[in-house]
Amino acid sequence: MSPAAHTRTEEIDHAFLAAAQRGDDAAFLAIMRHYDRLLRIVAFHVLRDRQLMDDVLQDVTLRAYRSLRGFRGDAALGTWLSRITYRAACDAVRRNDRCWPVDPEDLERSAAPDGDPAEVLAARTELEEAFAALSAEQRVAVLLVDREGYDYATTARILDIPAGTLASRLSAARSKLRRRLADHPDDEVPR
Amino acid sequence: MRPSRRHTRSDDRHRDEILGRRLEELDEPQHGPGYWDALEHRLEAARAAAPSSETPEHVSTARKPVRLGGRRAWRLVAAAAAAAAAVAVVALFGLPGVVEKTGPPAVEAEPVVAKALRALASARTLTADYVSREFDRTGSTAVSVERFHIVMRGDGSSRATTILPPDDGDARETAYHFIDTAYDAGTGIHRMYQETRSAESDGRSGMAVSSASKTVGCAIGEPDREQGTTLKFAAFAAALRTARDGRARAADFEGRPAWVVSCRLTATSASPLASDTQPTPPYDRLSVTIDKATGMPVRVRLWSDDILRVERRLENVVVNADLPAHAFRFSPPLGVSFDRRDDGFRLTTLDELRARSGGALLPGALPAGYRLAVAATAARSPSLDRRLQGSSITALRYARGFDALTITTRDVRGLRRPPELDPFLYEWVGAPSRPDEVLLTSGAFAGATARVLVAPLTVPHLWVTRNGTLLTVGGAAGVTELVAIAESMEVER
């Protein structure tokens, strides 16, 4: 993954929002496509399941579609959508402890005759394991701030927590990551 | 309209850029196939389902914003989701005039499962290649693999022939176990031929050992008759019933459109695999793949701790093809003759059963569509296994397409048979650790506690003993249906 692939999502032109609020579905879908990567970051790193991510983002889209007229612009549109997504993903985690959908592509990979479960295990990198050990809130926070370059205020709004709380949770997340990755000298992680 | 280039200002003083670069290795998956099409579909459904005053074009322009986490918003989303699910069902079953689409990423499994159960209940014949794989606790090594070409008919006739790997001409690699087994429900005759060749370390081909058997008087169904393979459509149906509260998703299976229904499992048991010395962890996840065109379940999979442990799949499936007359009988190769045996079951009729002294225990109620296929009696069980021991055995097999139910009664007086001993015990693959216990309230077994077990890859079954008579009911049915059958058993004369 090249660094260029991870670029913070810019705010979309206000004309799209205005058109969508007037009932232009194409404009609405353009908005959702524009923010799709940001919303996938938030949803996937809470849920850690692609199928659930898709389910949640579909529901988030429907909710945004219904609510868009009421959006006043108090926050940036991307922040607003991300906050809805974060809440919906957390709700989905709470709801989905009984039936957990399985991604058919994952299933097809698992069907490979050369023992795909081992491949899946082998592909689980140290970084992924360290990252998975963080809480959902920590995962999203560290990604948005340290990888994507979002400021504390925006990230705190998405997570619906005070900026000071975000700072302390970020600090804890970074410390955990450093500790987990400390046994790997090639890792370029500051001490 | 173009996206603006306005940036959200980053607080670089508090950003850990080195860690951020390391996190570039992490990625978020793209959406599944058809995501955006489905989204447009759902938006259309949401627009159609919502009252006109709530569509975006007509929403009040009042300044008060909709509270996103509030109940009103959730009701709107639920209405949209329900409409979308209805659209998905329409798409699934291809109602006239409706263009089939991929559908939303996940829908309720119930309509998909219902279609699969109907397909099983209406099938006349099936040919397929059947593959069963069971993995060790790492999920990386198959400890058991079976491959059969199978032919089945709705009356219970079946043929299973081992699919051997391609012969590469290397004698050292020619170790195999080949088995051809056929059961003809019309005659009650079971034939089997098997050939085993071992590989020798000195590079020479090992000795082949072959045998053949022809058994008359076979038991007509579970639990007395074991099938030649692990393929049991009742078990597939049980897996479907288990997954019906889960989610369904469009997928491809062998290049054909399919559905995958999946759900989490609770309270499943240890079920030792052949090569394991330690019990298997409980199965905690199940999926069933259903061929969209035929509705047939073509794959069942079970996981423990997210490691695939069991897979049963059908490939090259052909449903309802005409079968040759000799599909369920064969002769052994030259030089091999059948060893003949008699398991002691004899076909009979309900009238003959009623005419016996004491009459016959018969069901007064059956699930819709089931018809009596065959009835048989045996003086005693041919099995030495104590779970099947008994005398004066009566067996009734009812069929509904590939769905089958077998009801047996036997006299177990004087056998000191523990009531919890499951006559179907060898079927336990992924079974719950404890069967449900149900107090029967009517019929000849009223007052007795029946044990009922419905689990993936296990033939659903019930057993109960009262006054020295053991009743078993096994086959394609749910808990409620099994109990209803047991409670309908009455003596008829």
Side-chain angles (χ1 to χ4, degrees):
Chain A
M1 178 60 61
S2 67
H6 285 135
T7 306
R8 190 176 54 212
T9 302
E10 309 297 345
E11 280 301 297
I12 198 169
D13 192 298
H14 184 76
F16 281 88
L17 175 60
Q21 287 181 317
R22 287 195 301 272
D24 183 338
D25 287 356
F28 177 74
L29 280 171
I31 290 171
M32 298 312 297
R33 286 181 183 275
H34 177 78
Y35 290 107
D36 182 60
R37 182 173 166 274
L38 171 60
L39 302 187
R40 278 190 288 115
I41 292 171
V42 173
F44 180 74
H45 290 291
V46 172
L47 300 162
R48 303 189 64 75
D49 179 284
R50 197 193 74 171
Q51 180 176 325
L52 271 181
M53 176 192 80
D54 280 357
D55 291 347
V56 164
L57 289 181
Q58 292 240 343
D59 287 343
V60 164
T61 303
L62 285 167
R63 202 185 309 183
Y65 181 74
R66 295 288 187 187
S67 308
L68 194 64
R69 184 61 69 106
F71 176 69
R72 296 180 301 177
D74 294 343
L77 184 57
T79 305
W80 181 69
L81 290 170
S82 299
R83 184 167 167 169
I84 301 173
T85 301
Y86 179 72
R87 283 184 179 179
C90 291
D91 287 342
V93 169
R94 283 189 285 271
R95 282 199 311 269
N96 278 276
D97 57 350
R98 187 173 65 88
C99 285
W100 198 268
V102 181
D103 191 311
E105 285 198 356
D106 292 342
L107 299 186
E108 293 307 322
R109 282 198 297 273
S110 295
D114 52 355
D116 54 301
E119 290 178 11
V120 172
L121 290 174
R124 207 175 279 170
T125 65
E126 293 295 326
L127 175 63
E128 287 172 329
E129 289 179 359
F131 192 68
L134 302 179
S135 70
E137 187 179 70
Q138 287 175 322
R139 290 196 295 268
V140 175
V142 77
L143 278 176
L144 291 183
V145 173
D146 291 336
R147 191 184 77 178
E148 302 294 316
Y150 284 89
D151 58 30
Y152 279 26
T154 301
T155 306
R157 279 192 166 198
I158 290 171
L159 299 178
D160 199 16
I161 56 177
T165 304
L166 172 68
S168 66
R169 290 180 184 170
L170 265 176
S171 175
R174 290 165 179 157
S175 296
K176 281 186 188 176
L177 281 175
R178 288 168 187 149
R179 277 199 304 274
R180 294 289 297 262
L181 298 173
D183 294 335
H184 301 273
D186 292 339
D187 295 340
E188 192 185 13
V189 177
R191 309 300 166 101
Chain B
M1 293 182 286
R2 294 172 59 84
S4 75
R5 305 303 300 171
R6 180 163 59 91
H7 287 247
T8 303
R9 181 179 170 275
S10 173
D11 189 344
D12 289 335
R13 289 173 302 173
H14 299 292
R15 182 182 175 197
D16 188 334
E17 292 185 11
I18 297 175
L19 179 59
R21 282 199 296 276
R22 181 69 200 272
L23 294 175
E24 299 282 0
E25 294 176 22
L26 299 174
D27 206 358
E28 299 74 40
Q30 296 292 327
H31 295 296
Y35 174 86
W36 290 104
D37 287 343
L39 187 56
E40 290 187 39
H41 205 153
R42 294 189 74 181
L43 286 174
E44 289 171 14
R47 192 164 46 245
S52 59
S53 61
E54 293 178 341
T55 57
E57 295 90 331
H58 302 286
V59 170
S60 165
T61 56
R63 301 293 294 173
K64 183 186 292 184
V66 175
R67 183 174 172 78
L68 296 174
R71 298 177 61 187
R72 177 172 176 274
W74 279 110
R75 279 203 303 275
L76 292 173
V77 171
V87 170
V89 171
V90 169
L92 170 63
F93 297 115
L95 294 180
V98 177
V99 177
E100 189 170 354
K101 299 188 72 170
T102 304
V107 298
E108 289 76 7
E110 172 64 32
V112 181
V113 168
K115 180 177 182 181
L117 291 173
R118 284 198 299 272
L120 285 175
S122 61
R124 292 183 292 106
T125 68
L126 177 141
T127 63
D129 295 333
Y130 169 70
V131 182
S132 169
R133 298 193 301 170
E134 298 181 353
F135 297 91
D136 67 2
R137 60 184 59 253
T138 70
S140 59
T141 303
V143 295
S144 170
V145 179
E146 291 182 338
R147 298 177 193 275
F148 290 97
H149 178 67
I150 60 165
V151 183
M152 302 182 74
R153 197 167 59 195
D155 67 352
S157 299
S158 64
R159 177 88 178 260
T161 309
T162 303
I163 300 172
L164 293 173
D167 185 358
D168 62 1
D170 185 343
R172 288 169 297 185
E173 302 297 329
T174 55
Y176 59 80
H177 178 66
F178 172 85
I179 185 168
D180 189 359
T181 179
Y183 172 71
D184 187 336
T187 61
I189 295 175
H190 180 266
R191 295 172 172 83
M192 182 173 67
Y193 170 75
Q194 54 186 333
E195 185 177 311
T196 303
R197 184 183 295 275
S198 59
E200 299 294 334
S201 58
D202 61 3
R204 292 177 301 178
S205 175
M207 179 183 294
V209 177
S210 58
S211 64
S213 64
K214 181 177 179 179
T215 305
V216 299
C218 289
I220 58 174
E222 313 273 0
D224 294 281
R225 185 169 69 84
E226 295 186 43
Q227 296 178 3
T229 74
T230 51
L231 173 62
K232 301 169 184 65
F233 270 104
F236 271 56
L240 283 167
R241 285 186 168 89
T242 305
R244 73 192 318 163
D245 291 332
R247 306 291 298 276
R249 176 175 285 274
D252 285 331
F253 181 75
E254 291 193 302
R256 292 164 59 88
W259 288 91
V260 176
V261 298
S262 56
C263 78
R264 286 284 183 185
L265 301 175
T266 56
T268 53
S269 77
S271 60
L273 300 180
S275 304
D276 275 350
T277 55
Q278 298 297 319
T280 303
Y283 298 120
D284 53 21
R285 183 149 55 104
L286 162 74
S287 79
V288 184
T289 303
I290 298 160
D291 181 73
K292 193 172 179 182
T294 63
M296 294 297 287
V298 289
R299 183 174 62 180
V300 177
R301 308 175 95 190
L302 287 163
W303 285 261
S304 295
D305 296 329
D306 289 328
I307 294 174
L308 180 64
R309 299 301 304 265
V310 176
E311 178 184 72
R312 307 264 163 85
R313 59 192 288 158
L314 298 175
E315 301 171 351
N316 306 313
V317 175
V318 177
V319 179
N320 292 339
D322 291 334
L323 300 177
H326 60 276
F328 303 107
R329 60 177 185 267
F330 63 85
S331 298
L334 282 175
V336 180
S337 58
F338 280 128
D339 291 331
R340 297 173 188 276
R341 53 180 281 191
D342 185 346
D343 276 356
F345 280 86
R346 296 292 180 265
L347 300 185
T348 186
T349 65
L350 292 185
D351 286 341
E352 288 177 348
L353 289 174
R354 292 188 185 102
R356 297 195 309 184
S357 64
L361 269 169
L362 300 175
L366 289 165
Y370 274 104
R371 298 286 181 272
L372 182 69
V374 62
T377 59
R380 62 187 56 81
S381 170
S383 171
L384 297 178
D385 193 326
R386 70 167 185 155
R387 63 189 164 84
L388 296 172
Q389 286 293 293
S391 58
S392 301
I393 301 172
T394 299
L396 308 166
R397 182 179 175 88
Y398 297 84
R400 183 182 63 184
F402 279 163
D403 286 347
L405 274 169
T406 304
I407 301 171
T408 74
T409 56
R410 72 196 68 204
D411 185 346
V412 294
R413 285 176 295 183
L415 292 180
R416 295 181 182 177
R417 189 181 195 286
E420 68 275 11
L421 180 61
D422 187 342
F424 298 75
L425 188 63
Y426 60 88
E427 299 288 349
W428 276 26
V429 177
S433 54
R434 284 181 180 274
D436 292 338
E437 295 187 359
V438 180
L439 179 65
L440 301 183
T441 58
S442 61
F445 291 84
T449 298
R451 289 169 171 80
V452 192
L453 198 152
V454 176
L457 297 182
T458 304
V459 173
H461 60 273
L462 171 152
W463 77 100
V464 59
T465 304
R466 186 170 188 273
N467 294 336
T469 297
L470 169 66
L471 167 71
T472 70
V473 185
V479 172
T480 304
E481 293 169 320
L482 292 170
V483 171
I485 294 168
E487 290 188 323
S488 75
M489 297 296 292
E490 295 282 8
V491 175
E492 291 188 21
R493 293 184 171 84

